[in-house]
Amino acid sequence: MKISLTLLVLVAAVLGAPLFTIILGGAGVGFWMSEIDLMVLPIELYRLTENTLLIALPLFTFAGYLLSESKTADRLVNLSQAALGWLPGGMVLISLLGCAFFTMLTGGSGVTIVALGALLLPALKQSGYSDKFALGLVTTSGSLGLLLPPALPLILYGIVAQQMDIADVDIQDLFIAGFIPALLMIVSLWVYGLWSQRNENIPLTPFRLKLVLAELRLSAWELAIPLIVLGGLLSGWLVISDIAAITALYVLIIEVFVYRDISIKQLPKIAAESMKMVGGILLILGVALAFTNLLVDLEVPAKVFEFIQANIDSRWAFLLCLNFGLLILGAILDIFAALIIIVPLILPVAMEYGIDPVHLGIIFVANMQIGYFTPPVGMNLFIASYRFKRSISELYTATIPMMFVLLSVVLLITYWPDMVLMFVR
């Protein structure tokens, strides 16, 4: 009976059953085989509702969906071009900052490629950059903002870590710790762009203060969003759920009543789409935490640590293996699913090696955002292939050099924890 139930779960996974049903089935079979009352499953789902951080998740997601449906992307690109077009590699920096800012606000890498790709790819080519470089830059830049507040992956990592009751992980610490790594990634790709395109004839756009001020006036309302988030975080006056509520209300007002990019009739559809995503995340999170309890009861993290310790004798070697594993996971799993499923296994082991849980969160998200365009199955590769009507092989050759640039930054993030935790401490 036990074997047949296990096989049933495995067959369901192979046939493409929803992820939450596979995790729930696995947890149910595991608890039943361990003779633990199955009431633990609904209890775990209920326990999730006690976490006040969960309020922030739907609010930030709703704000992100509103921004993705508006003309925010156009205004950001126009402002960046007016302000930075005079710099060497200015259009590269514009693309990087525009994508990072938009991903930061919307929380979705693929959304950024779809929304900004049609603007940035022609603009880069018209500025004199090669087609291969422009294609690779836009595809790679799509996930750059996942380390910047209000980063949904960092919020989710904090929720999972707090539910495990083994680490005191503050969401604000995660947000602060993500700044320097995100900035390093942007700067490293800009420098790579300057070097790789040094032989191209790239004209510079003269700086015109009048044009900058005009574009600034158009984008002023949206530029205030990160100031609201950062002001709330750094002042200490607001908790993350307060900041999420204020941000969602502010974005709703400016996009519907100030810019009027979104009509009131569109709001129910946008709200429904955003809550579908949140519902999926919460459903997976609830059953995954129940499955985590099963793993703890079976002492799986302790056994994993014993196995790793027997084969990996140093913290640095563990971190290197962790980076490699996370890159593979990032290529085959959505970042939210990976966070929910893998963090409960990795976090206890990492803490045994003396790795700070905030540092681990930054390492995790940094690797996963590179996984988005890691061959052969990174999600951004397929989104860009569909968006730009290019073959996957073209995307591989265009993004691989930039992937190695960002991998060097990830290694720096991994092996220099003081740099990541500087402002946190």
Side-chain angles (χ1 to χ4, degrees):
M1 181 66 175
K2 295 176 180 179
I3 296 174
S4 60
L5 286 173
T6 304
L7 286 174
L8 183 62
V9 173
L10 292 174
V11 169
V14 171
L15 293 177
L19 181 61
F20 82 92
T21 62
I22 298 167
I23 300 172
L24 183 62
V29 170
F31 282 124
W32 183 71
M33 291 171 65
S34 304
E35 299 182 351
I36 298 173
D37 195 329
L38 293 182
M39 276 301 294
V40 71
L41 295 172
I43 288 172
E44 193 61 43
L45 284 168
Y46 178 76
R47 191 169 75 90
L48 187 64
T49 64
E50 297 174 352
N51 193 320
T52 55
L53 284 174
L54 284 180
I55 300 171
L57 202 60
L59 290 169
F60 277 133
T61 304
F62 177 58
Y65 268 71
L66 286 172
L67 290 168
S68 67
E69 292 293 325
S70 69
K71 295 178 181 177
T72 300
D74 298 33
R75 287 187 285 269
L76 289 178
V77 171
N78 291 338
L79 173 62
S80 301
Q81 200 157 10
L84 302 172
W86 59 274
L87 281 172
M91 195 60 217
V92 175
L93 190 57
I94 289 164
S95 302
L96 293 169
L97 292 174
C99 287
F101 193 80
F102 196 73
T103 302
M104 175 189 81
L105 295 177
T106 62
S109 176
V111 173
T112 299
I113 293 174
V114 172
L116 291 181
L119 293 170
L120 294 177
L121 187 63
L124 284 162
K125 290 166 66 176
Q126 287 169 12
S127 298
Y129 294 96
S130 67
D131 179 68
K132 178 182 174 182
F133 175 82
L135 188 63
L137 187 73
V138 175
T139 305
T140 304
S141 304
S143 57
L144 281 182
L146 295 179
L147 284 169
L148 295 170
L152 294 181
L154 291 181
I155 294 175
L156 195 56
Y157 173 85
I159 292 171
V160 173
Q162 289 183 11
Q163 290 294 116
M164 294 178 68
D165 295 326
I166 62 170
D168 183 19
V169 180
D170 193 311
I171 301 293
Q172 294 184 6
D173 288 346
L174 288 167
F175 282 173
I176 293 168
F179 274 113
I180 294 178
L183 184 62
L184 275 175
M185 288 184 167
I186 291 170
V187 171
S188 64
L189 284 176
W190 179 40
V191 172
Y192 169 75
L194 289 172
W195 177 82
S196 69
Q197 301 293 291
R198 62 192 182 280
N199 295 324
E200 301 290 340
N201 184 23
I202 313 292
L204 301 180
T205 304
F207 181 80
R208 293 166 55 198
L209 181 60
K210 186 176 180 181
L211 179 60
V212 173
L213 293 175
E215 294 295 343
L216 193 59
R217 278 195 295 272
L218 289 174
S219 306
W221 291 99
E222 285 152 333
L223 292 176
I225 297 170
L227 298 180
I228 293 170
V229 176
L230 293 176
L233 282 175
L234 300 178
S235 67
W237 296 339
L238 302 172
V239 297
I240 194 69
S241 53
D242 297 333
I243 296 168
I246 293 169
T247 303
L249 179 61
Y250 178 80
V251 171
L252 176 66
I253 291 170
I254 65 170
E255 298 302 345
V256 175
F257 299 107
V258 178
Y259 290 117
R260 298 184 180 179
D261 290 342
I262 298 172
S263 66
I264 294 177
K265 291 181 181 179
Q266 291 176 277
L267 287 178
K269 182 181 177 182
I270 295 171
E273 289 299 318
S274 63
M275 291 310 107
K276 282 180 188 177
M277 177 182 171
V278 173
I281 292 173
L282 293 182
L283 194 54
I284 295 172
L285 179 58
V287 297
L289 290 174
F291 191 72
T292 300
N293 275 353
L294 172 64
L295 296 178
V296 172
D297 290 339
L298 297 177
E299 299 182 346
V300 172
K303 291 173 182 175
V304 169
F305 174 67
E306 289 173 9
F307 172 79
I308 292 174
Q309 196 174 42
N311 294 276
I312 300 174
D313 57 0
S314 77
R315 171 185 176 183
W316 308 117
F318 168 74
L319 285 170
L320 186 62
C321 293
L322 178 63
N323 281 329
F324 182 71
L326 290 175
L327 282 175
I328 296 172
L329 278 173
I332 62 176
L333 269 182
D334 177 75
I335 190 169
F336 298 114
L339 281 163
I340 293 166
I341 298 168
I342 305 301
V343 168
L345 281 175
I346 290 177
L347 183 57
V349 178
M351 291 182 69
E352 291 286 350
Y353 276 97
I355 298 167
D356 188 289
V358 173
H359 184 212
L360 179 69
I362 302 303
I363 293 171
F364 198 106
V365 175
N367 276 283
M368 294 300 291
Q369 74 176 37
I370 296 176
Y372 269 118
F373 50 87
T374 299
V377 289
M379 188 187 301
N380 280 11
L381 299 172
F382 290 94
I383 292 173
S385 175
Y386 174 78
R387 183 70 181 85
F388 305 129
K389 303 293 188 293
R390 305 297 184 89
S391 68
I392 286 292
S393 58
E394 282 185 84
L395 271 301
Y396 289 167
T397 56
T399 55
I400 283 176
M402 297 176 195
M403 183 183 76
F404 282 115
V405 171
L406 292 181
L407 281 176
S408 65
V409 178
V410 167
L411 289 176
L412 187 63
I413 294 167
T414 301
Y415 292 112
W416 191 4
D418 289 340
M419 180 265 292
V420 176
L421 301 174
M422 182 191 311
F423 296 124
V424 176
R425 291 173 178 170

